[in-house]
Each structure stands twice: as C-alpha cells, then as structure tokens.
Amino acid sequence: MLHLASALAANATLTSLNVMGIYLTVEGAHALIAVADSKPNQIKSLCGIAADATSANLSSINLDAADAVLIAFELRINATLTILDLGNNGIGPDGAQHIAEALQ
C-alpha cells in the first residue's frame, strides 16, 4: 500500500480515489490519509463519494476496520453527507471507534 500512497503523493490531478474493500491494512489506510491530508485542495475522497453527495450506501460490501478508517477521513472532509449506510459489513469495534471519533 505504500506504493499506492507514494503514487498518490506524486500525482497532481487525481481528486477522488476509491480504495474501499481492497483489503488495506489500517496502516495502509493511514498512509493514504496522510497523503490526502497533505493535499487538502486536491484529494476530496478516498471512498469514491462525491464531494457534494448527501448520502452514501456502503452496505454489504465486506468493509473492514481499515475501510472504517477511510470512512472516518471521508466524514471529516465531506460537509454535505447526511445519510451513511454501513449495514452488513465487518468493521468491528475498532472500525466503529474510528467512525465515532470522526462524528464528534
């Protein structure tokens, strides 16, 4: 995943990247978020959710704790999202904690 983070860091045009469900590690998710945080005017999504979306259905797509880290990032930067469906996934307690912290 560090190769993907390095490539994202070098890219000057990509604004959205959907890496949900590709079996990232939590560390890999944090590496991608660090790159996105360093490019706040460029990277608008790591989950493939449009910047102006008001809802997102991410149910039943085998998400795990690393995906929850990415969702937490998305919640932090997307001010328009009001409905998020995460049902029937395996984000677990650690993933839920990341999302809960982003919602505060």
Side-chain angles (χ1 to χ4, degrees), residues 10-97:
N11 184 283
T13 58
L14 193 66
T15 60
S16 180
L17 177 67
N18 185 352
V19 292
M20 301 294 290
I22 65 166
Y23 304 108
L24 291 173
T25 63
V26 170
E27 293 79 17
H30 283 295
L32 289 172
I33 290 167
V35 172
D37 279 341
S38 74
K39 298 179 165 206
N41 296 321
Q42 179 185 339
I43 307 296
K44 303 299 182 191
S45 177
L46 294 174
C47 299
I49 299 173
D52 60 348
T54 58
S55 65
N57 182 357
L58 301 177
S59 65
S60 302
I61 56 173
N62 298 318
L63 300 180
D64 59 18
D67 295 311
V69 170
L70 297 171
I71 293 166
F73 166 77
E74 200 83 11
L75 291 171
R76 206 169 27 92
I77 64 168
N78 186 322
T80 62
L81 200 61
T82 58
I83 300 169
L84 179 61
D85 186 348
L86 296 172
N88 200 27
N89 282 298
I91 62 171
D94 291 340
Q97 180 66 33

